[in-house]
Every structure is written in C-alpha cells, then in structure tokens.
Amino acid sequence: MGETLYVRFQGTTRSPHGHFPGIFALANGLARDGRLTDEQYRFWRAGNDWYDTHFTNPSDVDPTVYDRDLNPGAVAWFKATAVHLLARAEGYLDLLAQHEVPCERVESTDPGRVIYEDDEQVVVVPVTPLPDHPAAAPRPAT
C-alpha cells in the first residue's frame, strides 16, 4: 500500500452542495452564527489570520478553483509534508469538538483530479460526482 500523501479534516455530514465541509468552513460557520465565546472568537480570528499569512488561498491564485460548475465538489487537502499547517489544525478540531461538530481526518494517496497545487496543498475535484451535480444523474440506457 502506498504512502499517504494528502490529509483533510472535514465534517461528517454533507453540505447542501453535496460535499463534506472542511474544518475552516465549519469554524467560520460557528463564528458567522455568533456561537463562539469571546475566547473562542479570539482563537478563531487569530488562527484565521495566521493561516491567511502563512498559507496560500487557492482562490487568490485562481478565482475559479471553487466554481461549482467548473469544478464540482472541489475541496482542499493538505500535503502530509505540511506539518506546520497540520499541527495548527488541532486547535480548530478542539473548537469544533467544544460545539459538538463532528469531524474526521481523511487520508489519501489519490483524493481526486488535481486542479490546483502548491508546496503545501492541493485542491481536487473528487472522482465520484457529487449527489446534487448533473454528472451524478442517472444516464438513460442506449
């Protein structure tokens, strides 16, 4: 069996768009909904600011990377070698656990079709179409 190359932390329930939201989206949702304590909010804000400074936002490089029509279900995965980024994810996992938001760590050597890559991450379109995307609709028999 091959070495794990990619790591993703994500929720265990599909979003309305059919994918499993990552930990940043889940934490951002808690903040947006006003569910964080003052201390949690400070952690979340400082964490997001740190990642914004130390981690490339793929949308800044390619504004279409998360376009639902062009790249249905596109999600980001850390490269396993990005240990400094992976280590900081633990705080987000703790925050989500405090709000009983279930998350899981997923590892893969082939998470999907790579549409963006840098030294620390990839963004991929999953091989299996999302349930709400036209590509997932049953095809008529010929």
Side-chain angles (χ1 to χ4, degrees), residues 3-7 77-87 105 117-121:
E3 179 181 327
T4 298
L5 298 176
Y6 306 104
V7 177
W77 290 69
F78 290 109
K79 289 184 176 179
T81 54
V83 292
H84 65 292
L85 300 174
L86 290 166
R105 177 186 172 118
E117 182 171 7
D118 63 37
D119 290 342
E120 299 164 324
Q121 68 184 320

Side-chain angles (χ1 to χ4, degrees), residues 11-22:
T12 59
T13 304
R14 289 188 186 274
S15 76
H17 299 291
H19 67 280
F20 295 98

Side-chain angles (χ1 to χ4, degrees), residues 129-140:
L130 296 175
D132 69 338
H133 194 268
R139 306 218 189 274

Side-chain angles (χ1 to χ4, degrees), residues 51-97:
Y51 274 103
D52 288 346
T53 301
H54 296 90
F55 192 52
T56 302
N57 180 342
S59 295
D60 291 343
V61 177
D62 177 1
T64 67
V65 74
Y66 292 112
D67 182 289
R68 290 188 188 121
D69 293 323
L70 293 175
N71 300 311
V75 293
W77 290 69
F78 290 109
K79 289 184 176 179
T81 54
V83 292
H84 65 292
L85 300 174
L86 290 166
R88 292 188 72 100
E90 289 299 319
Y92 284 84
L93 295 171
D94 292 343
L95 175 70
L96 294 169

